[in-house]
Amino acid sequence: MVSNRKNMKSKRYNVTEDRYYEKRKIVGGGVIGLAAVCSLLFTGCGVKDADKGVALEAQITPIKYNRDAIVTVMSDDGIYETGVMLDELGDKHNIKITVSGIVSYVEPHLKEWKKLERKGNLELISHSYTHLKMSEDAGISVSDLEHEITDSIQFYKKHFKTDQVAFTPPENQMCGQGYEILADNDIRAMRQGGRGYNTIEPQRGYEAAQWYNLYTFGIGDVSTTEERNAWIDGAVQNHAWLIEMWHDVTENGDHGLYQEIAYADADAHLSYIADKQSDGDIWAASMVDAVKYLSEKEYATVSAAYNGAKITVSLTCDSAELPSDIYNDALTIRVLVPEEADDFTKVISSDKKNEVRIFKEEGDTYLEFEMVPNGKDVIIKLQK
């Protein structure tokens, strides 16, 4: 059995002193071992398990549904009128959109925002309490940082169902003390302002494209739908994670606002994203869903075995690193069917909630399905 967890140093990175420290695990500077360079990690073949049979090749796919890229759409600030439009667009295109809201903007419409979240097209995470600048040169006090970060996160935990595992800093900048406060609040990811694609295996830390400094593309950086759609194509080609930063959606996009987009342009771009998702090229994931999948994959272990009558698949996640009450989303598993069972005509799974998909690749047969890393085995019977 091979873990899909990266090798981690025992001590963690101190974001203010540029040294290692042991206070929190969440900001740790990870060192990727040679065995972890490949994102598809397999169990050992041919090893006999007395209870379950002969071990099979099994893997957690790097991206959910084994897609080629992840695309995340985020809208900053939390203007309610924009939220209504995003809900309509998300519902139309079956895309869950992340609203990174400032508490002082969200709170006056709290009841309405909660209704929108319940519909399932939007998730809400914190973009601070009042949007105080948090960069190193801002001179913000520790007490103000605590209010802007901790109190805002607690607001969202109290009023919304979205798991608070990500944060968006005002003006896309964060100071060293702020990183430590984020870690104390178990925030695992943060998008800042650097432009570009993200790897699907971000490292712990706050350097460019690491978990606390994820790259983005600003929707207002370009002016045409064709240019925005090209970002999606680039993500597929690079096997990458694209995070789009939006702000206000307005009727005509002519209010002169930062990273504003017209409703019709937003509709056209989301239509392209939806088509790419339907074609099987991308996973259009909210920020929280993407963070949870990539994090679970990092600390998960999968194994599969065949005993001549059934395939038994086991999947666990290190609860010491990731609390299981939050990190419990299903991961996509692929299992290689042994040659002697390749003539099956029917698949029966003990997990009735998730379908088993069958793929042929270069003469081999694979089973693919979603599975929650809760330690409960999935039993798959291959019938002739």
Side-chain angles (χ1 to χ4, degrees), residues 85-281:
M85 295 185 191
L86 291 172
D87 174 67
E88 293 174 356
L89 291 166
D91 184 63
K92 177 180 179 180
H93 298 292
N94 193 29
I95 295 171
K96 190 174 184 180
I97 297 170
T98 301
V99 173
S100 183
I102 304 165
V103 172
S104 60
Y105 289 6
V106 170
E107 194 169 26
H109 302 280
L110 181 58
K111 184 177 180 179
E112 292 81 2
W113 274 114
K114 291 173 77 171
K115 288 181 179 178
L116 288 179
E117 187 203 33
R118 284 197 295 270
K119 293 173 68 177
N121 304 312
L122 305 178
E123 67 178 21
L124 282 91
I125 64 172
S126 178
H127 188 30
S128 79
Y129 218 100
T130 65
H131 208 262
L132 284 183
K133 188 176 180 181
M134 300 181 190
S135 61
E136 290 289 359
D137 62 355
I140 187 171
S141 67
V142 174
S143 61
D144 282 343
L145 273 174
E146 288 282 3
H147 176 61
E148 293 293 321
I149 298 174
T150 301
D151 291 349
S152 69
I153 292 169
Q154 292 304 315
F155 171 86
Y156 284 97
K157 286 184 176 180
K158 177 180 179 179
H159 295 291
F160 296 94
K161 295 182 178 181
T162 303
D163 290 322
Q164 298 301 306
V165 299
F167 182 89
T168 306
E171 300 189 27
N172 299 311
Q173 299 177 71
M174 181 55 67
C175 60
Q177 185 68 48
Y179 291 119
E180 294 190 9
I181 295 173
L182 289 166
D184 288 339
N185 283 279
D186 295 321
I187 295 298
R188 192 161 182 84
M190 181 167 62
R191 185 215 79 210
Q192 294 201 47
R195 298 306 199 251
Y197 296 108
N198 298 290
T199 174
I200 56 172
E201 291 188 335
Q203 295 185 45
R204 298 291 102 205
Y206 58 91
E207 300 298 334
Q210 293 182 338
W211 270 117
Y212 269 10
N213 192 359
L214 294 170
Y215 280 147
T216 190
F217 281 73
I219 202 68
D221 293 351
V222 296
S223 57
T224 69
T225 298
E226 290 73 21
E227 290 172 298
R228 294 167 185 138
N229 292 349
W231 298 341
I232 313 302
D233 299 335
V236 172
Q237 293 166 6
N238 289 284
H239 199 54
W241 179 16
L242 163 64
I243 302 175
E244 294 189 1
M245 175 179 60
W246 300 22
H247 279 65
D248 295 280
V249 179
T250 58
E251 184 177 355
N252 298 311
D254 56 0
H255 292 192
L257 302 171
Y258 178 66
Q259 299 295 341
E260 176 187 11
I261 185 171
Y263 186 94
D265 291 340
D267 185 27
H269 182 48
L270 290 175
S271 177
Y272 189 80
I273 294 175
D275 287 344
K276 287 294 183 180
Q277 177 157 253
S278 296
D279 292 342
D281 294 328

